[in-house]
Amino acid sequence: MRYPCVMDIKEFALERGISERRVRALIANGSVRATKRGRAWEIDSDFARNPVPSRRPLSAESRKALSAAIQNRSIASLEGQLRARTAKRIRALREAEDPAALLAEWWGNTAPTIIDATSSMVVRAIAGDHNSVRTQLRRRPTLYLRRPEDLASAVLSERTIRGLSVQALAVNVDLTPRQVRRIEHADPDSVGSIRRVLRALDIEATALPTPRGDR
């Protein structure tokens, strides 16, 4: 069989006998190599010769962690690999061209039985409501961060989701790593350092804690 230099999503889906939504999900999670040309995707012809990788839905534990993280906008309560994997998945959803397809695939195209803010989004993703899912994922509410612990949770979560190390964030905002760690340990040294970090992470707050040195 001969393959063209590139294939679009529709051609690839027909060739493999899968839905266009699944192709978009495979592109979103990096399983299919493709290049964006304007509003269309072009799938590498070399990849088109390879089998489509299978991808199982997330485990119940992973779905629960991801659902809670999206709803609470925090991964601070998670630990170890579960925190790292959840952060990576949220980052993938934010960056995906079609996050609804990716989310539906992670849930195995099966609607959750418990209805909350995240499960409602999953239901919309399965129904193909791409715009609604994309809008909800990109929405950034203003946070009330009067307690140092709430500030620490917000900064740690967003930094981890973005894949930034403490060192990298510190360099970006012209602070020392120790100053960033103090914020994440609920002991910020100044309002100025807090504002720099929040600005770099695109976190908007209606209230901030008063550092001990400013009391």
Side-chain angles (χ1 to χ4, degrees):
M1 180 181 295
R2 295 184 62 188
Y3 290 85
C5 294
V6 293
M7 302 176 74
D8 62 21
I9 286 179
K10 184 175 182 178
E11 291 169 335
F12 189 82
L14 289 172
E15 177 71 27
R16 297 309 178 90
I18 59 179
S19 69
E20 293 182 32
R21 177 191 294 178
R22 171 145 174 80
V23 177
R24 291 191 180 92
L26 292 169
I27 292 173
N29 66 37
S31 297
V32 168
R33 188 168 62 249
T35 303
K36 191 74 178 291
R37 305 290 186 189
R39 300 183 64 181
W41 285 100
E42 294 181 349
I43 298 171
D44 188 289
S45 60
D46 290 335
F47 184 89
R49 297 185 177 89
N50 300 328
V52 173
S54 60
R55 186 179 185 87
R56 293 183 298 176
L58 298 182
S59 67
E61 179 187 32
S62 294
R63 291 198 306 271
K64 181 179 179 180
L66 180 58
S67 179
I70 292 174
Q71 183 166 341
N72 300 328
R73 298 184 180 276
S74 174
I75 60 171
S77 62
L78 303 177
E79 297 180 353
Q81 287 300 310
L82 185 58
R83 175 191 285 180
R85 289 194 299 267
T86 301
K88 185 176 181 180
R89 286 166 183 146
I90 293 176
R91 185 163 66 250
L93 286 171
R94 288 182 181 179
E95 297 174 352
E97 175 70 19
D98 188 356
L102 186 55
L103 197 61
E105 186 175 60
W106 281 342
W107 257 259
N109 286 293
T110 301
T113 55
I114 299 176
I115 301 300
D116 55 27
T118 303
S119 61
S120 296
M121 181 168 61
V122 173
V123 170
R124 292 196 297 274
I126 294 172
D129 189 351
H130 310 292
N131 291 334
S132 174
V133 172
R134 187 180 296 108
T135 298
Q136 185 170 346
L137 285 170
R138 292 178 178 176
R139 185 180 298 129
R140 297 296 183 86
T142 302
L143 304 178
Y144 185 83
L145 303 177
R146 174 66 71 186
R147 297 172 63 245
E149 294 80 8
D150 294 334
L151 172 67
S153 174
V155 170
L156 171 65
S157 296
E158 188 61 27
R159 176 182 65 77
T160 307
I161 289 170
R162 293 185 178 215
L164 293 172
S165 66
V166 169
Q167 178 71 35
L169 178 57
V171 170
N172 288 346
V173 297
D174 197 23
L175 295 174
T176 66
R178 182 173 181 273
Q179 287 175 296
V180 174
R181 290 193 188 95
R182 285 188 62 173
I183 292 174
E184 294 189 357
H185 292 163
D187 184 28
D189 69 338
S190 71
V191 173
S193 63
I194 293 173
R195 293 190 184 282
R196 287 190 191 185
V197 169
L198 294 184
R199 191 179 305 115
L201 297 176
D202 298 319
I203 297 174
E204 294 188 14
T206 58
L208 297 175
T210 302
R212 287 189 297 177
D214 295 342
R215 295 172 189 169

